[in-house]
């Protein structure tokens, strides 16, 4: 079962409200600064000519009024409702820093040509325009069409919408303009960066890390091909398992035991509390997501079952463990939706996972542990009482701080030293408490490119017996 994300519902509600707002937005006719100047000039010339009996100035005021009325007639005869827009987005699903091509066509179904129309395709600031232009001013003949095209680059993961379209229609003499929002939207989902997780993933296949790979799943005694040992024969054993040579040496019937490989059940648990949004050059949450994506690929390569649980104050998303690569696609969407918010509900997350898992599982927890440490230790106790394995990846906050190149004041440096000392004491206490309960914890940082983490992760998996 996959829990629908609360922020996805909020996004859909927001987009629906925005669309309704755009539809109800009135088409307003406004006077440009030039038009206002013409009106003021016409009134001024009329009053001067009237009181001075200067018919030339009066005639000039009449000409200005005539131009004003003609320009008003020309803009009012054009119906923006008959202007049709169609948008084509080349890629609606892309990874962070990926590119997509957007093409917006404008068709004029009026019986009059539109001489001065500005069309701007609005998109969120998380996209960067790298080629082309998303707005243009052009003329469109009657029953004709025009095109706006551009390429944007995604700078933040998430689900976003391109739209609406801003239209500004100016009159032939630029005395009036009409502004309107056209409610046309296209959804784009931006997945987390694949580049970093791919580097981690392929690092595992280098010769340097080759010795740490191979069959790492847990083994249990049974019928298999890997020899485990010898033991005395009992009446419940198959006589074909008797090792006659060993029996002859010991003068007792001995049977061979073999091992069979059992896939691991792995759940990747990511803390998405507010503090996880902090970090430079990459936030702790983004780093956890990249790492989780890499670990999921490694687990599936080894035919393990892997699932995902994202939590903050409560459980935001849960994907049950499966040895199915479609699980990664489901995870990608949840990764895109993950937002730092709320506190860290360790107990609720562990209880939810334990209640929904029938098999003994390895929990890989990725968190900065900025919440209640006693609550976290209590959550670990619950998992261990149910015979689950726990592996903690500590997103250590001081390691996610970029050092300032400028010289810091003495007071600030002293404050940072005190804070670092507090973090170190807390980490030492936490490590001690986890080791007492048979839980391994490693501290990770964005500057180190994962080989050490991979090695410890795989060693831990090798030692699991579920």
């Amino acid at each position: 079962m996959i829990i629908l994300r609360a922020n996805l519902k909020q996004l859909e509600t927001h987009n629906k409200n925005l669309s309704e707002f755009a539809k109800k937005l009135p088409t307003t006719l406004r006077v440009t600064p030039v038009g206002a100047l013409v009106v003021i000039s016409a009134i001024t010339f009329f009053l001067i000519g009237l009181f001075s009996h200067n018919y030339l100035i009066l005639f000039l005021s009449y000409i200005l009024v005539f131009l004003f009325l003609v320009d008003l007639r020309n803009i009012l005869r054009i119906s923006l409702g008959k202007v049709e827009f169609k948008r084509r987005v080349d890629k609606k699903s892309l990874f962070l820093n990926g590119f997509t091509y957007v093409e917006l066509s404008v068709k004029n179904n009026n019986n009059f040509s539109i001489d001065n129309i500005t069309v701007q395709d609005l998109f969120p600031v998380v996209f960067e325009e790298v080629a082309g232009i998303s707005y243009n001013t052009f003329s469109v003949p009657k029953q004709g069409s025009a095109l706006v095209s551009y390429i944007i680059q995604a700078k933040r993961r998430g689900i976003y919408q391109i739209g609406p379209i801003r239209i500004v229609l100016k009159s032939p003499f630029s005395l009036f303009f009409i502004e309107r929002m056209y409610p046309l939207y296209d959804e784009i989902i931006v997945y987390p960066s694949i580049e970093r997780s791919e580097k981690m993933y392929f690092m595992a296949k280098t010769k340097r890390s080759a010795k740490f790979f191979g069959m790492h799943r847990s083994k249990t005694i049974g019928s298999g091909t890997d020899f485990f040992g010898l033991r005395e024969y009992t009446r419940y054993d198959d006589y074909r398992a008797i090792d006659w040579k060993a029996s002859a040496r010991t003068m007792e019937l001995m049977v061979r035991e073999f091992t069979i490989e059992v896939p691991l059940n792995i759940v990747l648990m990511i803390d998405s509390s507010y503090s996880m949004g902090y970090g430079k050059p990459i936030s702790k949450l983004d780093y956890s997501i990249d790492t989780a994506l890499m670990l999921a690929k490694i687990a599936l390569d080894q035919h393990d079952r892997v699932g995902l649980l994202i939590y903050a104050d409560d459980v935001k998303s849960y994907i049950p463990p499966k040895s199915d690569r479609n699980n990664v696609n489901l995870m990608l969407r949840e990764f895109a939706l993950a937002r730092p918010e709320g506190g860290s509900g360790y107990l609720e997350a562990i209880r939810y996972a334990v209640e929904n898992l029938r098999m003994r599982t390895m929990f890989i927890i990725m968190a900065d542990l900025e919440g209640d440490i006693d609550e976290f230790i209590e959550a670990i106790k619950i998992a261990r009482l149910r015979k689950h394995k726990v592996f903690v990846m500590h997103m250590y906050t001081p390691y996610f701080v970029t050092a300032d190149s400028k010289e810091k004041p003495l007071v600030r440096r002293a404050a940072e030293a005190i804070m670092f000392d507090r973090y170190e004491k807390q980490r030492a206490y936490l490590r001690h408490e986890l080791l007492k309960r048979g839980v391994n914890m490693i501290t990770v940082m964005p500057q180190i490119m994962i080989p050490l983490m991979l090695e410890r992760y795989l060693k831990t998996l090798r030692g699991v017996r579920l």
Side-chain angles (χ1 to χ4, degrees), residues 411-450:
V411 176
R412 183 177 175 183
R413 281 184 289 171
E416 289 180 354
I418 294 172
M419 289 297 295
F420 185 77
D421 183 62
R422 185 180 68 84
Y423 273 110
E424 283 295 309
K425 289 179 179 178
Q426 178 178 294
R427 181 171 64 160
Y429 167 74
L430 185 61
R431 186 185 298 276
H432 175 71
E433 292 296 319
L434 294 179
L435 285 175
K436 286 197 304 185
R437 292 161 180 84
V439 176
N440 290 320
M441 183 183 80
I442 63 170
T443 304
V444 296
M445 62 181 73
Q447 293 81 7
I448 292 181
M449 203 58 191
I450 312 310

Side-chain angles (χ1 to χ4, degrees), residues 131-200:
I133 189 167
S134 60
Y135 67 93
N136 201 0
T137 301
F138 42 73
S139 298
V140 188
K142 62 179 181 178
Q143 304 302 322
S145 59
L147 195 67
V148 174
S149 60
Y150 57 96
I151 297 175
I152 53 177
Q153 183 180 18
K155 291 296 185 180
R156 188 183 302 171
R157 59 177 175 78
I159 295 182
Y160 306 99
Q161 283 194 333
I162 297 180
I165 300 170
R166 179 173 175 262
I167 312 164
V168 178
L169 174 64
K170 289 186 178 180
S171 59
F173 300 131
S174 298
L175 303 183
F176 301 92
F177 73 95
I178 296 175
E179 184 176 8
R180 182 184 176 186
M181 293 292 184
Y182 188 88
L184 179 62
Y185 301 92
D186 281 279
E187 185 181 270
I188 294 182
I189 181 168
V190 182
Y191 298 125
S193 174
I194 199 67
E195 180 182 356
R196 190 178 187 93
S197 63
E198 285 294 326
K199 287 180 180 179
M200 300 176 187

Side-chain angles (χ1 to χ4, degrees), residues 103-366:
E103 187 177 270
L104 181 66
S105 62
V106 184
K107 186 177 181 182
N108 178 20
N109 294 321
N110 287 278
N111 293 324
F112 307 95
S113 63
I114 300 178
D115 296 325
N116 192 358
I117 184 171
T118 300
V119 176
Q120 182 179 10
D121 201 10
L122 302 177
F123 53 84
V125 295
V126 297
F127 293 98
E128 181 181 344
E129 193 174 67
V130 295
I133 189 167
S134 60
Y135 67 93
N136 201 0
T137 301
F138 42 73
S139 298
V140 188
K142 62 179 181 178
Q143 304 302 322
S145 59
L147 195 67
V148 174
S149 60
Y150 57 96
I151 297 175
I152 53 177
Q153 183 180 18
K155 291 296 185 180
R156 188 183 302 171
R157 59 177 175 78
I159 295 182
Y160 306 99
Q161 283 194 333
I162 297 180
I165 300 170
R166 179 173 175 262
I167 312 164
V168 178
L169 174 64
K170 289 186 178 180
S171 59
F173 300 131
S174 298
L175 303 183
F176 301 92
F177 73 95
I178 296 175
E179 184 176 8
R180 182 184 176 186
M181 293 292 184
Y182 188 88
L184 179 62
Y185 301 92
D186 281 279
E187 185 181 270
I188 294 182
I189 181 168
V190 182
Y191 298 125
S193 174
I194 199 67
E195 180 182 356
R196 190 178 187 93
S197 63
E198 285 294 326
K199 287 180 180 179
M200 300 176 187
Y201 178 69
F202 287 112
M203 182 75 72
K205 294 190 176 182
T206 61
K207 293 181 180 179
R208 180 182 181 277
S209 300
K211 62 180 179 179
F212 297 104
F213 281 77
M215 303 309 293
H216 65 272
R217 289 171 285 172
S218 58
K219 297 181 178 182
T220 114
I221 299 173
S223 59
T225 57
D226 294 335
F227 178 71
F228 180 76
L230 295 168
R231 63 171 175 80
E232 291 185 6
Y233 174 82
T234 67
R235 61 176 180 165
Y236 302 103
D237 293 323
D238 187 349
Y239 71 92
R240 289 172 294 184
I242 297 175
D243 188 327
W244 297 105
K245 291 183 179 180
S247 300
R249 288 195 304 268
T250 60
M251 300 301 293
E252 291 181 2
L253 288 178
M254 305 293 291
V255 294
R256 286 189 174 191
E257 287 186 323
F258 297 88
T259 58
I260 56 174
E261 292 176 348
V262 179
L264 287 172
N265 220 40
I266 301 172
V267 172
L268 305 170
M269 299 183 63
I270 299 179
D271 181 6
S272 64
S273 60
Y274 185 78
S275 62
M276 288 289 286
Y278 178 78
K280 295 180 181 180
I282 182 173
S283 71
K284 291 176 282 187
L285 180 57
D286 286 329
Y287 187 80
S288 299
I289 287 173
D290 293 341
T291 306
L293 183 57
M294 179 270 301
L295 295 179
K297 289 183 177 181
I298 292 178
L300 290 175
D301 278 352
Q302 303 293 347
H303 308 288
D304 293 325
R305 291 181 291 269
V306 62
L308 174 69
L309 192 149
I310 300 177
Y311 66 94
D313 290 322
D314 54 3
V315 176
K316 301 298 182 182
S317 174
Y318 175 64
I319 300 175
K322 292 181 182 178
S323 57
D324 184 359
R325 292 199 175 271
N326 187 50
N327 252 24
V328 175
N329 297 331
L330 297 177
M331 289 179 188
L332 283 172
R333 184 173 181 84
E334 298 304 322
F335 289 153
L337 291 170
R339 289 285 181 274
E341 56 184 357
S344 299
Y346 305 120
L347 273 175
E348 186 172 349
I350 287 292
R351 284 171 179 164
Y352 183 90
V354 168
E355 289 172 2
N356 285 275
L357 291 167
R358 296 182 180 179
M359 299 178 61
R360 294 179 182 176
T361 302
M362 165 170 278
F363 296 123
I364 301 180
I365 302 175
M366 285 164 270

